[in-house]
mmCIF file of all heavy atoms in Angstrom:
data_model
loop_
_atom_site.group_PDB
_atom_site.id
_atom_site.type_symbol
_atom_site.label_atom_id
_atom_site.label_comp_id
_atom_site.label_asym_id
_atom_site.label_seq_id
_atom_site.Cartn_x
_atom_site.Cartn_y
_atom_site.Cartn_z
ATOM 1 N N ASN S 1 111.653 -102.275 51.029
ATOM 2 C CA ASN S 1 111.711 -103.714 51.302
ATOM 3 C C ASN S 1 110.658 -104.465 50.488
ATOM 4 O O ASN S 1 109.829 -103.871 49.801
ATOM 5 C CB ASN S 1 111.578 -103.997 52.806
ATOM 6 C CG ASN S 1 110.223 -103.607 53.371
ATOM 7 O OD1 ASN S 1 109.215 -103.585 52.670
ATOM 8 N ND2 ASN S 1 110.190 -103.296 54.656
ATOM 9 N N GLU S 2 110.704 -105.782 50.590
ATOM 10 C CA GLU S 2 109.845 -106.615 49.754
ATOM 11 C C GLU S 2 108.361 -106.376 50.032
ATOM 12 O O GLU S 2 107.543 -106.302 49.109
ATOM 13 C CB GLU S 2 110.182 -108.098 49.991
ATOM 14 C CG GLU S 2 109.436 -109.044 49.067
ATOM 15 C CD GLU S 2 109.852 -110.490 49.240
ATOM 16 O OE1 GLU S 2 110.897 -110.740 49.890
ATOM 17 O OE2 GLU S 2 109.130 -111.382 48.751
ATOM 18 N N ARG S 3 107.993 -106.221 51.308
ATOM 19 C CA ARG S 3 106.586 -106.029 51.644
ATOM 20 C C ARG S 3 106.063 -104.688 51.129
ATOM 21 O O ARG S 3 104.936 -104.600 50.632
ATOM 22 C CB ARG S 3 106.386 -106.123 53.159
ATOM 23 C CG ARG S 3 106.618 -107.501 53.746
ATOM 24 C CD ARG S 3 106.299 -107.521 55.217
ATOM 25 N NE ARG S 3 104.882 -107.314 55.470
ATOM 26 C CZ ARG S 3 104.371 -107.023 56.668
ATOM 27 N NH1 ARG S 3 105.178 -106.894 57.722
ATOM 28 N NH2 ARG S 3 103.073 -106.866 56.823
ATOM 29 N N LEU S 4 106.873 -103.647 51.236
ATOM 30 C CA LEU S 4 106.467 -102.340 50.712
ATOM 31 C C LEU S 4 106.380 -102.386 49.198
ATOM 32 O O LEU S 4 105.478 -101.777 48.591
ATOM 33 C CB LEU S 4 107.458 -101.265 51.164
ATOM 34 C CG LEU S 4 107.152 -99.823 50.734
ATOM 35 C CD1 LEU S 4 105.766 -99.400 51.181
ATOM 36 C CD2 LEU S 4 108.210 -98.855 51.276
ATOM 37 N N ASP S 5 107.279 -103.115 48.571
ATOM 38 C CA ASP S 5 107.262 -103.265 47.122
ATOM 39 C C ASP S 5 105.959 -103.932 46.658
ATOM 40 O O ASP S 5 105.337 -103.499 45.683
ATOM 41 C CB ASP S 5 108.473 -104.091 46.679
ATOM 42 C CG ASP S 5 108.632 -104.114 45.169
ATOM 43 O OD1 ASP S 5 108.843 -103.043 44.577
ATOM 44 O OD2 ASP S 5 108.538 -105.209 44.581
ATOM 45 N N VAL S 6 105.535 -104.964 47.373
ATOM 46 C CA VAL S 6 104.279 -105.641 47.044
ATOM 47 C C VAL S 6 103.097 -104.695 47.233
ATOM 48 O O VAL S 6 102.177 -104.640 46.413
ATOM 49 C CB VAL S 6 104.104 -106.905 47.916
ATOM 50 C CG1 VAL S 6 102.703 -107.493 47.746
ATOM 51 C CG2 VAL S 6 105.158 -107.944 47.563
ATOM 52 N N TYR S 7 103.123 -103.929 48.322
ATOM 53 C CA TYR S 7 102.066 -102.942 48.602
ATOM 54 C C TYR S 7 101.956 -101.934 47.458
ATOM 55 O O TYR S 7 100.854 -101.626 46.985
ATOM 56 C CB TYR S 7 102.382 -102.227 49.919
ATOM 57 C CG TYR S 7 101.532 -101.001 50.189
ATOM 58 C CD1 TYR S 7 100.358 -101.086 50.918
ATOM 59 C CD2 TYR S 7 101.924 -99.745 49.713
ATOM 60 C CE1 TYR S 7 99.584 -99.963 51.169
ATOM 61 C CE2 TYR S 7 101.157 -98.612 49.956
ATOM 62 C CZ TYR S 7 99.983 -98.731 50.687
ATOM 63 O OH TYR S 7 99.219 -97.613 50.917
ATOM 64 N N LEU S 8 103.099 -101.432 46.992
ATOM 65 C CA LEU S 8 103.086 -100.440 45.917
ATOM 66 C C LEU S 8 102.487 -101.026 44.640
ATOM 67 O O LEU S 8 101.754 -100.347 43.917
ATOM 68 C CB LEU S 8 104.512 -99.941 45.660
ATOM 69 C CG LEU S 8 105.137 -99.109 46.786
ATOM 70 C CD1 LEU S 8 106.624 -98.896 46.535
ATOM 71 C CD2 LEU S 8 104.434 -97.772 46.937
ATOM 72 N N GLY S 9 102.786 -102.289 44.384
ATOM 73 C CA GLY S 9 102.205 -102.943 43.220
ATOM 74 C C GLY S 9 100.706 -103.114 43.357
ATOM 75 O O GLY S 9 99.953 -102.937 42.395
ATOM 76 N N GLN S 10 100.255 -103.432 44.563
ATOM 77 C CA GLN S 10 98.828 -103.654 44.810
ATOM 78 C C GLN S 10 98.011 -102.394 44.578
ATOM 79 O O GLN S 10 96.862 -102.458 44.124
ATOM 80 C CB GLN S 10 98.634 -104.158 46.243
ATOM 81 C CG GLN S 10 97.196 -104.490 46.594
ATOM 82 C CD GLN S 10 97.060 -105.012 48.013
ATOM 83 O OE1 GLN S 10 98.047 -105.150 48.743
ATOM 84 N NE2 GLN S 10 95.843 -105.314 48.415
ATOM 85 N N TYR S 11 98.594 -101.223 44.887
ATOM 86 C CA TYR S 11 97.858 -99.969 44.756
ATOM 87 C C TYR S 11 98.331 -99.136 43.554
ATOM 88 O O TYR S 11 98.226 -97.909 43.551
ATOM 89 C CB TYR S 11 97.965 -99.171 46.054
ATOM 90 C CG TYR S 11 97.182 -99.828 47.169
ATOM 91 C CD1 TYR S 11 97.819 -100.603 48.140
ATOM 92 C CD2 TYR S 11 95.794 -99.731 47.224
ATOM 93 C CE1 TYR S 11 97.097 -101.235 49.155
ATOM 94 C CE2 TYR S 11 95.073 -100.358 48.218
ATOM 95 C CZ TYR S 11 95.723 -101.102 49.180
ATOM 96 O OH TYR S 11 95.006 -101.736 50.173
ATOM 97 N N SER S 12 98.866 -99.819 42.549
ATOM 98 C CA SER S 12 99.218 -99.203 41.250
ATOM 99 C C SER S 12 100.242 -98.087 41.374
ATOM 100 O O SER S 12 100.232 -97.125 40.593
ATOM 101 C CB SER S 12 97.946 -98.662 40.559
ATOM 102 O OG SER S 12 97.009 -99.695 40.358
ATOM 103 N N ARG S 13 101.135 -98.209 42.344
ATOM 104 C CA ARG S 13 102.238 -97.259 42.466
ATOM 105 C C ARG S 13 103.509 -97.806 41.812
ATOM 106 O O ARG S 13 104.442 -97.050 41.556
ATOM 107 C CB ARG S 13 102.543 -96.981 43.949
ATOM 108 C CG ARG S 13 101.417 -96.369 44.748
ATOM 109 C CD ARG S 13 101.028 -94.998 44.262
ATOM 110 N NE ARG S 13 100.299 -94.233 45.261
ATOM 111 C CZ ARG S 13 99.742 -93.066 45.028
ATOM 112 N NH1 ARG S 13 99.789 -92.517 43.838
ATOM 113 N NH2 ARG S 13 99.108 -92.430 45.995
ATOM 114 N N LYS S 14 103.556 -99.100 41.593
ATOM 115 C CA LYS S 14 104.734 -99.737 41.010
ATOM 116 C C LYS S 14 104.432 -100.077 39.552
ATOM 117 O O LYS S 14 103.646 -100.961 39.261
ATOM 118 C CB LYS S 14 105.092 -101.004 41.792
ATOM 119 C CG LYS S 14 106.279 -101.767 41.228
ATOM 120 C CD LYS S 14 106.475 -103.069 41.971
ATOM 121 C CE LYS S 14 107.570 -103.908 41.331
ATOM 122 N NZ LYS S 14 107.709 -105.221 41.982
ATOM 123 N N ILE S 15 105.061 -99.345 38.647
ATOM 124 C CA ILE S 15 104.832 -99.546 37.216
ATOM 125 C C ILE S 15 106.187 -99.460 36.507
ATOM 126 O O ILE S 15 106.998 -98.572 36.794
ATOM 127 C CB ILE S 15 103.871 -98.480 36.652
ATOM 128 C CG1 ILE S 15 102.503 -98.584 37.345
ATOM 129 C CG2 ILE S 15 103.711 -98.629 35.146
ATOM 130 C CD1 ILE S 15 101.517 -97.515 36.933
ATOM 131 N N GLU S 16 106.427 -100.358 35.595
ATOM 132 C CA GLU S 16 107.702 -100.369 34.861
ATOM 133 C C GLU S 16 107.836 -99.100 34.029
ATOM 134 O O GLU S 16 106.918 -98.696 33.320
ATOM 135 C CB GLU S 16 107.778 -101.597 33.960
ATOM 136 C CG GLU S 16 109.122 -101.744 33.275
ATOM 137 C CD GLU S 16 109.243 -103.045 32.502
ATOM 138 O OE1 GLU S 16 108.348 -103.907 32.642
ATOM 139 O OE2 GLU S 16 110.230 -103.180 31.749
ATOM 140 N N ILE S 17 108.979 -98.466 34.134
ATOM 141 C CA ILE S 17 109.251 -97.234 33.392
ATOM 142 C C ILE S 17 110.501 -97.430 32.530
ATOM 143 O O ILE S 17 111.351 -98.266 32.841
ATOM 144 C CB ILE S 17 109.431 -96.027 34.338
ATOM 145 C CG1 ILE S 17 110.525 -96.301 35.376
ATOM 146 C CG2 ILE S 17 108.126 -95.652 35.009
ATOM 147 C CD1 ILE S 17 110.839 -95.127 36.265
ATOM 148 N N PRO S 18 110.626 -96.656 31.459
ATOM 149 C CA PRO S 18 111.708 -96.888 30.499
ATOM 150 C C PRO S 18 113.022 -96.172 30.817
ATOM 151 O O PRO S 18 113.973 -96.245 30.043
ATOM 152 C CB PRO S 18 111.120 -96.368 29.194
ATOM 153 C CG PRO S 18 110.227 -95.260 29.627
ATOM 154 C CD PRO S 18 109.654 -95.671 30.958
ATOM 155 N N ILE S 19 113.092 -95.444 31.915
ATOM 156 C CA ILE S 19 114.305 -94.688 32.236
ATOM 157 C C ILE S 19 114.495 -94.668 33.745
ATOM 158 O O ILE S 19 113.517 -94.715 34.503
ATOM 159 C CB ILE S 19 114.216 -93.250 31.670
ATOM 160 C CG1 ILE S 19 115.586 -92.567 31.695
ATOM 161 C CG2 ILE S 19 113.159 -92.419 32.398
ATOM 162 C CD1 ILE S 19 115.621 -91.266 30.905
ATOM 163 N N PHE S 20 115.746 -94.630 34.178
ATOM 164 C CA PHE S 20 116.067 -94.627 35.598
ATOM 165 C C PHE S 20 116.799 -93.345 35.982
ATOM 166 O O PHE S 20 117.358 -92.642 35.124
ATOM 167 C CB PHE S 20 116.918 -95.852 35.955
ATOM 168 C CG PHE S 20 116.220 -97.160 35.737
ATOM 169 C CD1 PHE S 20 116.441 -97.906 34.588
ATOM 170 C CD2 PHE S 20 115.319 -97.635 36.678
ATOM 171 C CE1 PHE S 20 115.788 -99.108 34.385
ATOM 172 C CE2 PHE S 20 114.666 -98.841 36.493
ATOM 173 C CZ PHE S 20 114.899 -99.580 35.345
ATOM 174 N N TYR S 21 116.805 -93.086 37.276
ATOM 175 C CA TYR S 21 117.495 -91.904 37.804
ATOM 176 C C TYR S 21 118.944 -91.869 37.325
ATOM 177 O O TYR S 21 119.454 -90.822 36.907
ATOM 178 C CB TYR S 21 117.432 -91.922 39.329
ATOM 179 C CG TYR S 21 118.155 -90.775 40.005
ATOM 180 C CD1 TYR S 21 117.512 -89.561 40.234
ATOM 181 C CD2 TYR S 21 119.484 -90.895 40.412
ATOM 182 C CE1 TYR S 21 118.163 -88.506 40.851
ATOM 183 C CE2 TYR S 21 120.150 -89.839 41.031
ATOM 184 C CZ TYR S 21 119.485 -88.654 41.249
ATOM 185 O OH TYR S 21 120.141 -87.616 41.850
ATOM 186 N N GLU S 22 119.623 -93.008 37.400
ATOM 187 C CA GLU S 22 121.035 -93.076 37.013
ATOM 188 C C GLU S 22 121.238 -92.680 35.554
ATOM 189 O O GLU S 22 122.279 -92.120 35.199
ATOM 190 C CB GLU S 22 121.575 -94.488 37.250
ATOM 191 C CG GLU S 22 121.546 -94.936 38.712
ATOM 192 C CD GLU S 22 122.471 -94.106 39.589
ATOM 193 O OE1 GLU S 22 123.493 -93.608 39.059
ATOM 194 O OE2 GLU S 22 122.174 -93.942 40.792
ATOM 195 N N ASP S 23 120.265 -92.964 34.692
ATOM 196 C CA ASP S 23 120.397 -92.599 33.274
ATOM 197 C C ASP S 23 120.493 -91.090 33.102
ATOM 198 O O ASP S 23 121.225 -90.594 32.231
ATOM 199 C CB ASP S 23 119.190 -93.122 32.484
ATOM 200 C CG ASP S 23 119.111 -94.635 32.470
ATOM 201 O OD1 ASP S 23 120.172 -95.293 32.498
ATOM 202 O OD2 ASP S 23 117.992 -95.172 32.445
ATOM 203 N N LEU S 24 119.755 -90.353 33.916
ATOM 204 C CA LEU S 24 119.749 -88.892 33.788
ATOM 205 C C LEU S 24 121.043 -88.255 34.288
ATOM 206 O O LEU S 24 121.312 -87.083 33.992
ATOM 207 C CB LEU S 24 118.552 -88.305 34.536
ATOM 208 C CG LEU S 24 117.176 -88.655 33.961
ATOM 209 C CD1 LEU S 24 116.063 -88.083 34.842
ATOM 210 C CD2 LEU S 24 117.025 -88.144 32.543
ATOM 211 N N LEU S 25 121.836 -89.006 35.032
ATOM 212 C CA LEU S 25 123.113 -88.480 35.526
ATOM 213 C C LEU S 25 124.183 -88.442 34.440
ATOM 214 O O LEU S 25 125.274 -87.898 34.667
ATOM 215 C CB LEU S 25 123.607 -89.336 36.695
ATOM 216 C CG LEU S 25 122.836 -89.217 38.018
ATOM 217 C CD1 LEU S 25 123.350 -90.233 39.028
ATOM 218 C CD2 LEU S 25 122.947 -87.804 38.587
ATOM 219 N N ARG S 26 123.882 -88.962 33.271
ATOM 220 C CA ARG S 26 124.886 -89.029 32.208
ATOM 221 C C ARG S 26 124.936 -87.739 31.379
ATOM 222 O O ARG S 26 125.284 -87.768 30.204
ATOM 223 C CB ARG S 26 124.604 -90.218 31.275
ATOM 224 C CG ARG S 26 124.561 -91.567 31.973
ATOM 225 C CD ARG S 26 124.750 -92.718 30.990
ATOM 226 N NE ARG S 26 123.807 -92.659 29.874
ATOM 227 C CZ ARG S 26 122.697 -93.378 29.806
ATOM 228 N NH1 ARG S 26 122.360 -94.193 30.800
ATOM 229 N NH2 ARG S 26 121.900 -93.285 28.749
ATOM 230 N N PHE S 27 124.596 -86.614 31.979
ATOM 231 C CA PHE S 27 124.612 -85.362 31.216
ATOM 232 C C PHE S 27 126.052 -84.932 30.938
ATOM 233 O O PHE S 27 126.979 -85.219 31.687
ATOM 234 C CB PHE S 27 123.827 -84.261 31.931
ATOM 235 C CG PHE S 27 124.212 -83.987 33.349
ATOM 236 C CD1 PHE S 27 125.247 -83.117 33.652
ATOM 237 C CD2 PHE S 27 123.532 -84.593 34.407
ATOM 238 C CE1 PHE S 27 125.588 -82.828 34.961
ATOM 239 C CE2 PHE S 27 123.870 -84.326 35.726
ATOM 240 C CZ PHE S 27 124.905 -83.445 35.999
ATOM 241 N N SER S 28 126.212 -84.223 29.847
ATOM 242 C CA SER S 28 127.554 -83.819 29.404
ATOM 243 C C SER S 28 127.894 -82.373 29.734
ATOM 244 O O SER S 28 129.041 -81.956 29.626
ATOM 245 C CB SER S 28 127.684 -84.038 27.894
ATOM 246 O OG SER S 28 126.671 -83.332 27.190
ATOM 247 N N GLY S 29 126.880 -81.608 30.152
ATOM 248 C CA GLY S 29 127.130 -80.219 30.509
ATOM 249 C C GLY S 29 125.942 -79.617 31.216
ATOM 250 O O GLY S 29 124.866 -80.225 31.263
ATOM 251 N N SER S 30 126.129 -78.418 31.788
ATOM 252 C CA SER S 30 125.032 -77.771 32.519
ATOM 253 C C SER S 30 125.263 -76.276 32.609
ATOM 254 O O SER S 30 126.397 -75.795 32.470
ATOM 255 C CB SER S 30 124.911 -78.356 33.932
ATOM 256 O OG SER S 30 126.072 -78.064 34.696
ATOM 257 N N VAL S 31 124.179 -75.532 32.833
ATOM 258 C CA VAL S 31 124.260 -74.100 33.091
ATOM 259 C C VAL S 31 123.385 -73.792 34.300
ATOM 260 O O VAL S 31 122.390 -74.484 34.558
ATOM 261 C CB VAL S 31 123.788 -73.260 31.884
ATOM 262 C CG1 VAL S 31 124.715 -73.447 30.699
ATOM 263 C CG2 VAL S 31 122.356 -73.601 31.501
ATOM 264 N N VAL S 32 123.741 -72.776 35.042
ATOM 265 C CA VAL S 32 122.992 -72.393 36.240
ATOM 266 C C VAL S 32 121.643 -71.800 35.846
ATOM 267 O O VAL S 32 121.548 -71.030 34.883
ATOM 268 C CB VAL S 32 123.794 -71.380 37.078
ATOM 269 C CG1 VAL S 32 122.981 -70.900 38.280
ATOM 270 C CG2 VAL S 32 125.106 -71.991 37.553
ATOM 271 N N VAL S 33 120.603 -72.157 36.604
ATOM 272 C CA VAL S 33 119.272 -71.598 36.390
ATOM 273 C C VAL S 33 119.059 -70.469 37.392
ATOM 274 O O VAL S 33 119.159 -70.684 38.607
ATOM 275 C CB VAL S 33 118.173 -72.672 36.563
ATOM 276 C CG1 VAL S 33 116.788 -72.050 36.409
ATOM 277 C CG2 VAL S 33 118.363 -73.795 35.566
ATOM 278 N N TYR S 34 118.769 -69.270 36.888
ATOM 279 C CA TYR S 34 118.528 -68.106 37.737
ATOM 280 C C TYR S 34 117.043 -67.769 37.739
ATOM 281 O O TYR S 34 116.328 -68.040 36.768
ATOM 282 C CB TYR S 34 119.318 -66.897 37.235
ATOM 283 C CG TYR S 34 120.820 -67.067 37.316
ATOM 284 C CD1 TYR S 34 121.552 -67.487 36.211
ATOM 285 C CD2 TYR S 34 121.496 -66.802 38.500
ATOM 286 C CE1 TYR S 34 122.930 -67.644 36.280
ATOM 287 C CE2 TYR S 34 122.880 -66.950 38.583
ATOM 288 C CZ TYR S 34 123.578 -67.373 37.473
ATOM 289 O OH TYR S 34 124.935 -67.539 37.553
ATOM 290 N N ASP S 35 116.577 -67.167 38.842
ATOM 291 C CA ASP S 35 115.184 -66.724 38.874
ATOM 292 C C ASP S 35 115.063 -65.364 38.212
ATOM 293 O O ASP S 35 116.045 -64.821 37.677
ATOM 294 C CB ASP S 35 114.646 -66.715 40.313
ATOM 295 C CG ASP S 35 115.353 -65.708 41.219
ATOM 296 O OD1 ASP S 35 116.032 -64.787 40.701
ATOM 297 O OD2 ASP S 35 115.229 -65.831 42.455
ATOM 298 N N GLU S 36 113.862 -64.783 38.248
ATOM 299 C CA GLU S 36 113.622 -63.518 37.543
ATOM 300 C C GLU S 36 114.397 -62.349 38.140
ATOM 301 O O GLU S 36 114.557 -61.304 37.497
ATOM 302 C CB GLU S 36 112.125 -63.204 37.533
ATOM 303 C CG GLU S 36 111.505 -63.103 38.901
ATOM 304 C CD GLU S 36 110.000 -62.893 38.863
ATOM 305 O OE1 GLU S 36 109.409 -63.085 37.790
ATOM 306 O OE2 GLU S 36 109.445 -62.544 39.917
ATOM 307 N N ASP S 37 114.898 -62.542 39.399
ATOM 308 C CA ASP S 37 115.707 -61.484 40.022
ATOM 309 C C ASP S 37 117.196 -61.786 39.938
ATOM 310 O O ASP S 37 118.009 -61.195 40.665
ATOM 311 C CB ASP S 37 115.302 -61.331 41.496
ATOM 312 C CG ASP S 37 113.866 -60.883 41.651
ATOM 313 O OD1 ASP S 37 113.437 -60.005 40.877
ATOM 314 O OD2 ASP S 37 113.160 -61.419 42.535
ATOM 315 N N ASP S 38 117.557 -62.729 39.073
ATOM 316 C CA ASP S 38 118.954 -63.123 38.853
ATOM 317 C C ASP S 38 119.612 -63.750 40.080
ATOM 318 O O ASP S 38 120.817 -63.651 40.266
ATOM 319 C CB ASP S 38 119.794 -61.912 38.389
ATOM 320 C CG ASP S 38 119.459 -61.502 36.963
ATOM 321 O OD1 ASP S 38 119.082 -62.386 36.172
ATOM 322 O OD2 ASP S 38 119.580 -60.304 36.657
ATOM 323 N N ASN S 39 118.809 -64.416 40.901
ATOM 324 C CA ASN S 39 119.349 -65.169 42.025
ATOM 325 C C ASN S 39 119.532 -66.628 41.623
ATOM 326 O O ASN S 39 118.706 -67.193 40.886
ATOM 327 C CB ASN S 39 118.406 -65.098 43.229
ATOM 328 C CG ASN S 39 118.232 -63.687 43.751
ATOM 329 O OD1 ASN S 39 119.207 -62.941 43.905
ATOM 330 N ND2 ASN S 39 116.990 -63.282 43.990
ATOM 331 N N ASP S 40 120.596 -67.230 42.103
ATOM 332 C CA ASP S 40 120.845 -68.643 41.826
ATOM 333 C C ASP S 40 119.753 -69.485 42.485
ATOM 334 O O ASP S 40 119.529 -69.405 43.689
ATOM 335 C CB ASP S 40 122.225 -69.032 42.379
ATOM 336 C CG ASP S 40 122.647 -70.441 41.981
ATOM 337 O OD1 ASP S 40 121.800 -71.202 41.483
ATOM 338 O OD2 ASP S 40 123.829 -70.772 42.184
ATOM 339 N N THR S 41 119.072 -70.325 41.710
ATOM 340 C CA THR S 41 117.977 -71.149 42.233
ATOM 341 C C THR S 41 118.479 -72.467 42.828
ATOM 342 O O THR S 41 117.683 -73.240 43.364
ATOM 343 C CB THR S 41 116.974 -71.487 41.119
ATOM 344 O OG1 THR S 41 117.639 -72.243 40.101
ATOM 345 C CG2 THR S 41 116.374 -70.218 40.528
ATOM 346 N N LEU S 42 119.787 -72.738 42.691
ATOM 347 C CA LEU S 42 120.402 -74.002 43.110
ATOM 348 C C LEU S 42 119.990 -75.166 42.209
ATOM 349 O O LEU S 42 120.224 -76.326 42.526
ATOM 350 C CB LEU S 42 120.079 -74.328 44.571
ATOM 351 C CG LEU S 42 120.511 -73.265 45.596
ATOM 352 C CD1 LEU S 42 120.102 -73.684 46.996
ATOM 353 C CD2 LEU S 42 122.009 -73.030 45.525
ATOM 354 N N TRP S 43 119.392 -74.844 41.074
ATOM 355 C CA TRP S 43 119.125 -75.824 40.014
ATOM 356 C C TRP S 43 120.056 -75.519 38.850
ATOM 357 O O TRP S 43 120.393 -74.354 38.588
ATOM 358 C CB TRP S 43 117.686 -75.739 39.518
ATOM 359 C CG TRP S 43 116.646 -76.216 40.484
ATOM 360 C CD1 TRP S 43 116.097 -75.508 41.517
ATOM 361 C CD2 TRP S 43 116.019 -77.507 40.509
ATOM 362 N NE1 TRP S 43 115.173 -76.285 42.181
ATOM 363 C CE2 TRP S 43 115.106 -77.511 41.583
ATOM 364 C CE3 TRP S 43 116.138 -78.650 39.724
ATOM 365 C CZ2 TRP S 43 114.313 -78.613 41.902
ATOM 366 C CZ3 TRP S 43 115.358 -79.748 40.028
ATOM 367 C CH2 TRP S 43 114.451 -79.737 41.105
ATOM 368 N N VAL S 44 120.472 -76.571 38.133
ATOM 369 C CA VAL S 44 121.238 -76.389 36.902
ATOM 370 C C VAL S 44 120.498 -77.087 35.764
ATOM 371 O O VAL S 44 119.882 -78.133 35.972
ATOM 372 C CB VAL S 44 122.675 -76.940 37.023
ATOM 373 C CG1 VAL S 44 123.470 -76.145 38.057
ATOM 374 C CG2 VAL S 44 122.692 -78.423 37.360
ATOM 375 N N ARG S 45 120.537 -76.493 34.610
ATOM 376 C CA ARG S 45 119.907 -77.096 33.422
ATOM 377 C C ARG S 45 120.949 -77.959 32.724
ATOM 378 O O ARG S 45 122.019 -77.477 32.356
ATOM 379 C CB ARG S 45 119.383 -76.013 32.484
ATOM 380 C CG ARG S 45 118.585 -76.546 31.309
ATOM 381 C CD ARG S 45 117.502 -75.574 30.935
ATOM 382 N NE ARG S 45 116.557 -75.396 32.033
ATOM 383 C CZ ARG S 45 115.677 -74.398 32.098
ATOM 384 N NH1 ARG S 45 115.612 -73.496 31.137
ATOM 385 N NH2 ARG S 45 114.854 -74.299 33.126
ATOM 386 N N VAL S 46 120.633 -79.225 32.575
ATOM 387 C CA VAL S 46 121.634 -80.163 32.061
ATOM 388 C C VAL S 46 121.384 -80.464 30.585
ATOM 389 O O VAL S 46 120.265 -80.334 30.085
ATOM 390 C CB VAL S 46 121.625 -81.475 32.881
ATOM 391 C CG1 VAL S 46 121.948 -81.178 34.343
ATOM 392 C CG2 VAL S 46 120.297 -82.202 32.776
ATOM 393 N N PHE S 47 122.476 -80.872 29.923
ATOM 394 C CA PHE S 47 122.424 -81.166 28.497
ATOM 395 C C PHE S 47 123.070 -82.526 28.248
ATOM 396 O O PHE S 47 123.987 -82.934 28.960
ATOM 397 C CB PHE S 47 123.149 -80.086 27.700
ATOM 398 C CG PHE S 47 122.621 -78.707 27.962
ATOM 399 C CD1 PHE S 47 123.258 -77.863 28.860
ATOM 400 C CD2 PHE S 47 121.486 -78.249 27.324
ATOM 401 C CE1 PHE S 47 122.773 -76.594 29.113
ATOM 402 C CE2 PHE S 47 120.988 -76.986 27.567
ATOM 403 C CZ PHE S 47 121.630 -76.149 28.456
#
């Protein structure tokens, strides 16, 4: 909300950034990331 937004700005938590979460969703492909024991980590590496 507006009051929390002002608070974040006051304590240097609100800073303009050049990329948004939605921008990263535009990936064209992905592969599964496995741990050292070949278990699915539930993360995918996107391209």
Side-chain angles (χ1 to χ4, degrees):
N1 65 27
E2 186 176 346
R3 292 184 66 194
L4 182 56
D5 188 63
V6 171
Y7 168 93
L8 292 169
Q10 183 179 359
Y11 290 100
S12 302
R13 299 296 200 187
K14 178 186 174 184
I15 298 176
E16 186 174 351
I17 55 175
I19 194 169
F20 297 98
Y21 178 87
E22 298 295 331
D23 296 328
L24 294 177
L25 289 174
R26 302 199 306 261
F27 54 86
S28 57
S30 65
V31 295
V32 176
V33 177
Y34 295 96
D35 64 17
E36 58 184 14
D37 297 319
D38 288 330
N39 297 315
D40 187 348
T41 62
L42 302 178
W43 290 82
V44 295
R45 186 147 298 165
V46 300
F47 304 98

